[in-house]
Amino acid sequence: MRPTALWFGLGGAPIAWSVLQLIVYPIAAHACFPHGVPLAHSEIGHVNRITIVVSVLALAVGLMALRTAIHNVRVTRAAAGEPSAPPDEVEGPWYFLAYAGLVASVVFSLGIVMTALAPFVVSPCW
Amino acid sequence: MTTTVAPVDALTRIWETPRGLYGALISVDHKTIGKRYLVTAFAFFLLAGLEALGMRAQLTHGDARLLSPETYDQLFTMHGVTMMFLFASPILSGFSNYLWPLMIGARDMAYPRVNALSYWTFVMAGLFICASGLIGRAPDGGWFAYVPLTGAAYSPGPNLDFYTLGLIFLGISSTVGAVNFVATFFTMRAPGMSVNRVPIILWGTLTASFAILFFMPALTVSCVLLYLDRHVGTHFFDAAAGGHPLLWQHLFWLFGHPWVYIIVLPGIGIASDIIPTFCRRPLIGYTFIALSTVMTMVLGSGVWVHHMFATGLPQLSTSFFSGASMMIAIPSGVSVVAWLVTIWHGRPRLSVPFLFVCGFIVLFVIGGVSGVMTAAVPFDVQLHDSYFVVAHLHYVLIGINVFPVFAGFYYWFPKITGRMLNEARGRVVFWLMFVGMNLAFFPMHIAGMLGMPRRIYTYPAGMGWDGVNLTTSIGAIVFAVGVALFLFDVVRSRMKGAKAGNNPWEAPTLEWSMSSPPPPYNFAVLPTVRSSYPLWEPWLLGRQVSDIDQGPVLDDGRETFGTSALDAAPVGVLHMPEDSAWPLVQSLALTWVFIALLVSAWVWAAAGLAAVAATLVGWLWPNPREGPGPTAPSRLWAMRLVVLTEACFFAYLLFSYWYLGSIAPTWPPANIGTQSLGIALPNTLILIASSVTFWWGEMGIKRGSLTRLRLGLALTFVLGAVFLGLQLVEYAHQSVTPQTNAYGSLFFTITGFHGAHVAVGLFMNLILQVWAWRGAFSQDEHGFVSNAGLYWHFVDAVWVFVFGSLYLIPRVV
């Protein structure tokens, strides 16, 4: 297994979620407060669409990370562990990290979906 | 040397700290430092408790006049500051400092002297902040110090200067401590202790340490900006001059929310490591709990706006953070289920540490549920600034910090002192604290629902709040009695407690393999680990597979193993430093600087900085016995982590620039216009060229050419000095000053701090040149050159971002 695959599986979805938060929050905030002046309606009429598009891109990264993590788990599980280790540890640190990537990818992809759903639930400004 | 009979006398001589006062002052032993952290932080806990009792005495009934409004403001602010900054985090540092090397099979932390610096700086910063109370000028703007209340106009006294400077000072301690924990985790675990075998407390402290490196700079930046607004006349938070009060809230909560996790995740680790011992079985869901710890922190770093739901932010923005906040329930819930399943499938022994862990789980669930409630925007807006929030935060902080800490005290006290705490008294302590806690804080939910606002020094009788407040005050007293009984137990058991032996709880981890208290060298032979529970292997596996009683001794000076980051394969032997007075001296010099800044004595502050620089030179001066240090993995980690946290510092400064820019009608202001490239562009090229010359010199020493290193360093120094000189010329031609408006304040602050970093880089360069001329470097030993090079390249890279933000982008956008 390539280290890049391991790290992408582990960090891809959390980073995609973090970047998504850092992009959509200022866009939404600026849309309603351009230059500090509050608007009743979003100045950027497409703010919802921008949010959804960025969320879809982030979700794509998250799902790719999930797919990579699943592959990593299979590869590392197949690798032989230390014969002397307890049964729940035979897979070793690489399996541990791959499995952690699987869980992280699921949770943070869910987080991306929740962010993507927000424009359907609330209006942009107030 | 591998042996079954270690030369313990020789090891004792090597690792023992000299006796007497001088020995106490120069000790860098992690056990000594850990115990000092525990005692000092607990003293601050008692102080914060007294402050809380003062508040509760005032609020027991309506229309009370026991305290003046001013005194009450100081009490609730200092209670928050003391608990959050001087107890909750340092007490966990105490446990981690004491336990980490014992748990991971090492003889000390990665940087023992830095460890000592972290402690002494914590003490000095704590005394600095608390000294404000002695002159009746304690901080009085709440632990989050919202502007404009805390600006010079509304808080003209020194109260908030103690706050801003004290927290910057304390940030130094937290940061160097975090660097030490991260480096220790990744370089010093015993051979075989791969990342899937470390105790959960290591995951908790590691995660918290990374969070400190990422988010502590946000607090530092906010405090620096507030100090400058108050003393230099800048306008970061002055809406009339282009600043904005919400900038403070963003910066503070970018730090503040992660800080909550910083002070609870190691507590969760303590509980997770105690549960297996008292349930007589391995922890179920180790991977999930370790990962939940990290995921909680990652999610927690992206929810800071949920503290700002009531500030009028757009609905869509708040909904992003509402969703993210609710998601934290997922990893938290997974952990709770894992603990409960472990208990269910175990054979629980209801000893005192386990009782505190059970109390922790109950309070964690209650605090977590009210956390999900406040993550809902409409609910939060309704109850914002009410006592409901006070109840929530105390369930979280006392439940997930104080209760695990007490569990840790009862659990590891025998290891630290060699004596058992009294079991019967401990049960009384637990029930007093548990009942007192719930009696004190559960009614606060009701008080909040009834509309009682936070931070009021009194309230009219007959509002319907008297009953819940009386109950709360009674609960606080019950809780305090429990703490007092614990103190009595500690003192009595320390003298007359039953002898503990090596492993009184029949616990599974390495720290219980040695005598209680541990010997100065920790391990007579360095262990090799082959499972998560090395002391339970005969029971779990039918035989001992880890090597605990035989292995390498490493007795040629202070030595321990260096291992690889993930699978802990041995990569070399680390030579640990001797005891030293420099950490104490440097923290005294830092105290000098902050006292001078407190009284705006700029010349004295500059002299103090010179003293700090002098102590650095003394600290780093090549020791004929130790040399400049080997290029060991742990040496490189420190500078990497410093660069990481410094990068965050500049990121928060640039965030401030763009935040204010985004709400300004034009940015830069129309009457100022964009910055000229006449000096800045060539200056940028000069700085980039200096990176090239440094790299050229470093490549030279890697090939064995000392001459090329000397020349490269000299050229770098000249180019860096020219950069600074030209920046001063540019300052002289500026149409704005730091006092003109927020743009001017930001321009000079950002470029000024960058210039200060260049100056530090030049200072390091000078030291390297001296060493290079003394022949201290060679092809094999040039670790400090690589470290200084990393710092210099970082400073140059930061300028690229500064140049882009301040000079280029405004011309384009």
Side-chain angles (χ1 to χ4, degrees):
Chain A
M1 184 180 56
R2 285 172 295 129
T4 47
L6 179 72
W7 294 118
F8 178 67
L10 190 60
I15 290 172
W17 174 82
S18 302
V19 171
L20 174 65
Q21 291 287 98
L22 290 176
I23 291 175
V24 295
Y25 166 65
I27 287 178
H30 192 70
C32 299
F33 282 94
H35 307 300
V37 181
L39 295 180
H41 301 287
S42 167
E43 187 184 56
I44 306 173
H46 307 301
V47 65
N48 282 0
R49 265 172 279 174
I50 293 172
T51 303
I52 293 166
V53 168
V54 179
S55 301
V56 168
L57 290 175
L59 185 60
V61 175
L63 293 177
M64 283 166 59
L66 176 61
R67 186 166 172 269
T68 307
I70 292 170
H71 175 73
N72 292 342
V73 168
R74 286 178 180 153
V75 170
T76 51
R77 184 182 278 161
E82 288 179 51
S84 62
D88 59 339
E89 290 178 16
V90 289
E91 293 89 352
W94 305 105
Y95 175 79
F96 171 77
L97 292 175
Y99 195 78
L102 174 62
V103 178
S105 297
V106 170
V107 171
F108 284 95
S109 293
L110 177 66
I112 294 169
V113 170
M114 286 181 72
T115 301
L117 288 177
F120 296 105
V121 181
V122 296
S123 60
C125 296
W126 25 80
Chain B
M1 177 171 65
T2 300
T3 181
T4 52
V5 183
V8 291
D9 290 341
L11 284 170
T12 302
R13 272 196 306 277
I14 291 168
W15 286 92
E16 200 169 39
T17 296
R19 294 183 187 280
L21 178 63
Y22 182 68
L25 295 176
I26 67 170
S27 175
V28 297
D29 177 19
H30 73 96
K31 298 183 290 297
T32 304
I33 293 168
K35 282 188 283 188
R36 287 175 181 173
Y37 256 114
L38 291 172
V39 171
T40 312
F42 199 82
F44 284 124
F45 174 71
L46 296 178
L47 177 63
L50 292 175
E51 289 158 354
L53 289 176
M55 285 188 284
R56 288 318 314 170
Q58 166 74 8
L59 293 174
T60 301
H61 57 84
D63 293 320
R65 294 289 181 271
L66 184 66
L67 301 174
S68 68
E70 293 78 15
T71 306
Y72 185 86
D73 288 350
Q74 293 185 22
L75 274 185
F76 84 72
T77 301
M78 281 304 293
H79 171 73
V81 169
T82 308
M83 283 298 290
M84 296 296 278
F85 295 111
L86 302 179
F87 166 72
S89 176
I91 197 83
L92 297 170
S93 294
F95 278 113
S96 295
N97 267 310
Y98 191 91
L99 294 169
W100 268 41
L102 306 179
M103 286 178 151
I104 65 173
R107 285 189 171 141
D108 210 325
M109 299 287 285
Y111 312 116
R113 289 184 184 174
V114 170
N115 211 13
L117 174 68
S118 175
Y119 172 73
W120 288 119
T121 310
F122 156 60
V123 173
M124 301 297 171
L127 293 176
F128 179 90
I129 294 171
C130 292
S132 60
L134 297 178
I135 60 169
R137 290 287 184 271
D140 53 0
W143 82 278
F144 33 69
Y146 282 165
V147 293
L149 174 65
T150 51
Y154 300 106
S155 296
N159 312 52
L160 268 300
D161 298 326
F162 280 106
Y163 174 91
T164 55
L165 294 171
L167 293 190
I168 296 169
F169 195 3
L170 196 63
I172 297 170
S173 166
S174 303
T175 302
V176 297
V179 166
N180 207 5
F181 284 125
V182 174
T184 302
F185 183 96
F186 285 116
T187 64
M188 297 188 68
R189 302 193 312 276
M193 187 177 276
S194 49
V195 287
N196 56 320
R197 289 174 178 161
V198 298
I200 298 285
I201 186 176
L202 269 83
W203 281 109
T205 311
L206 176 75
T207 309
S209 299
F210 268 116
I212 286 172
L213 297 176
F214 277 108
F215 301 110
M216 181 57 80
L219 178 69
T220 304
V221 166
S222 58
C223 286
V224 165
L225 301 190
L226 181 56
Y227 178 82
L228 291 174
D229 265 12
R230 291 171 56 83
H231 285 269
V232 183
T234 53
H235 301 283
F236 300 106
F237 308 115
D238 177 8
H244 205 292
L246 278 190
L247 173 61
W248 169 270
Q249 292 204 29
H250 274 297
L251 286 172
F252 185 84
W253 290 117
L254 268 164
F255 151 82
H257 195 78
W259 185 256
V260 173
Y261 297 106
I262 288 167
I263 61 182
V264 302
L265 292 178
I268 287 175
I270 289 174
S272 301
D273 289 334
I274 288 176
I275 287 173
T277 297
F278 292 95
C279 291
R280 321 303 303 150
R281 62 152 298 125
L283 189 65
I284 293 175
Y286 172 93
T287 305
F288 284 104
I289 294 178
L291 184 60
S292 292
T293 305
V294 180
M295 278 205 299
T296 301
M297 190 73 251
V298 177
L299 286 167
S301 66
V303 300
W304 78 94
V305 170
H306 80 207
H307 294 272
M308 300 166 64
F309 282 165
T311 57
L313 291 171
Q315 218 164 240
L316 186 57
S317 299
T318 55
S319 67
F320 298 143
F321 289 89
S322 175
S325 303
M326 290 180 186
M327 276 187 60
I328 294 176
I330 296 174
S332 306
V334 167
S335 295
V336 170
V337 169
W339 295 324
L340 293 179
V341 171
T342 304
I343 294 169
W344 183 263
H345 286 282
R347 289 171 287 132
R349 237 180 3 189
L350 293 178
S351 294
V352 178
F354 188 67
L355 285 177
F356 273 100
V357 168
C358 292
F360 145 77
I361 294 174
V362 171
L363 301 177
F364 183 29
V365 171
I366 296 173
V369 168
S370 61
V372 175
M373 292 162 77
T374 51
V377 179
F379 189 91
D380 183 84
V381 170
Q382 186 67 27
L383 288 167
H384 189 82
D385 266 349
S386 78
Y387 259 86
F388 187 93
V389 178
V390 183
H392 161 66
L393 71 92
H394 280 89
Y395 265 91
V396 170
L397 297 177
I398 293 184
I400 321 180
N401 180 279
V402 175
F403 270 68
V405 160
F406 272 78
F409 276 134
Y410 277 95
Y411 186 58
W412 283 297
F413 186 87
K415 178 54 58 184
I416 295 171
T417 64
R419 304 271 183 177
M420 302 294 291
L421 284 168
N422 184 283
E423 183 76 10
R425 268 196 296 271
R427 289 174 190 277
V428 178
V429 169
F430 166 75
W431 284 112
L432 284 170
M433 288 181 65
F434 186 73
V435 171
M437 151 78 206
N438 284 286
L439 204 56
F441 295 107
F442 196 84
M444 283 188 182
H445 292 107
I446 300 165
M449 295 284 197
L450 293 173
M452 183 172 174
R454 306 167 68 176
R455 307 185 207 100
I456 51 170
Y457 88 103
T458 190
Y459 53 90
M463 293 285 286
W465 302 340
D466 301 70
V468 287
N469 275 288
L470 178 62
T471 310
T472 292
S473 296
I474 292 170
I477 291 168
V478 173
F479 188 86
V481 171
V483 174
L485 184 58
F486 167 76
L487 268 181
F488 170 77
D489 194 18
V490 165
V491 173
R492 188 172 171 81
S493 299
R494 183 77 185 84
M495 294 183 293
K496 298 183 177 177
K499 293 276 176 60
N502 287 13
N503 190 359
W505 308 116
E506 297 174 330
T509 41
L510 282 180
E511 76 272 25
W512 300 101
S513 67
M514 65 195 63
S515 61
S516 305
Y521 46 83
N522 294 354
F523 295 90
V525 294
L526 291 168
T528 298
V529 174
R530 297 192 178 88
S531 77
S532 297
Y533 301 104
L535 303 194
W536 279 0
E537 286 168 359
W539 168 53
L540 287 175
L541 307 175
R543 63 198 170 95
Q544 184 74 43
V545 296
S546 297
D547 294 331
I548 297 172
D549 297 326
Q550 56 181 344
V553 174
L554 301 186
D555 58 352
D556 185 17
R558 292 190 173 187
E559 293 178 323
T560 191
F561 267 132
T563 51
S564 59
L566 296 181
D567 49 5
V571 294
V573 173
L574 301 178
H575 300 272
M576 310 305 287
E578 305 288 327
D579 295 321
S580 169
W582 286 116
L584 173 61
V585 174
Q586 189 165 84
S587 63
L588 288 171
L590 282 165
T591 310
W592 172 1
V593 173
F594 283 97
I595 290 174
L597 290 173
L598 180 71
V599 296
S600 301
W602 309 119
V603 175
W604 281 99
L609 278 177
V612 172
T615 60
L616 262 180
V617 174
W619 183 328
L620 297 173
W621 198 257
N623 184 330
R625 211 147 51 102
E626 298 175 351
T631 317
S634 61
R635 302 286 188 275
L636 300 175
W637 273 92
M639 187 55 82
R640 289 175 191 161
L641 295 169
V642 167
V643 162
L644 171 71
T645 197
E646 289 275 42
C648 292
F649 177 85
F650 279 102
Y652 294 122
L653 279 177
L654 291 174
F655 163 79
S656 305
Y657 176 85
W658 286 114
Y659 177 77
L660 292 185
S662 72
I663 56 179
T666 56
W667 193 257
N671 59 339
I672 295 173
T674 54
Q675 292 289 332
S676 163
L677 297 180
I679 295 177
L681 185 58
N683 220 12
T684 301
L685 297 176
I686 288 170
L687 200 59
I688 291 172
S690 74
S691 257
V692 176
T693 53
F694 200 114
W695 171 81
W696 181 77
E698 189 184 349
M699 286 298 110
I701 194 65
K702 283 182 177 173
R703 291 170 188 167
S705 172
L706 203 51
T707 308
R708 198 169 130 182
L709 173 66
R710 290 170 186 153
L711 188 57
L713 289 173
L715 283 171
T716 304
F717 186 88
V718 171
L719 290 169
V722 169
F723 173 86
L724 278 187
L726 285 175
Q727 198 169 39
L728 289 177
V729 172
E730 193 191 14
Y731 280 176
H733 290 86
Q734 280 293 327
S735 59
V736 291
T737 69
Q739 293 82 14
T740 307
N741 52 27
Y743 174 81
S745 304
L746 278 162
F747 178 84
F748 280 95
T749 302
I750 294 170
T751 56
F753 268 108
H754 179 266
H757 279 70
V758 173
V760 171
L762 293 178
F763 178 67
M764 289 164 69
N765 184 310
L766 270 183
I767 296 175
L768 287 181
Q769 288 197 57
V770 171
W771 288 357
W773 282 102
R774 289 165 58 98
F777 301 119
S778 67
Q779 193 168 7
D780 299 324
E781 286 195 356
H782 56 269
F784 284 170
V785 177
S786 300
N787 275 338
L790 177 60
Y791 181 82
W792 188 256
H793 300 316
F794 155 73
V795 169
D796 293 359
V798 165
W799 178 255
V800 173
F801 286 94
V802 171
F803 180 68
S805 296
L806 271 59
Y807 293 87
L808 288 185
I809 293 178
R811 303 177 79 85
V812 179
V813 180

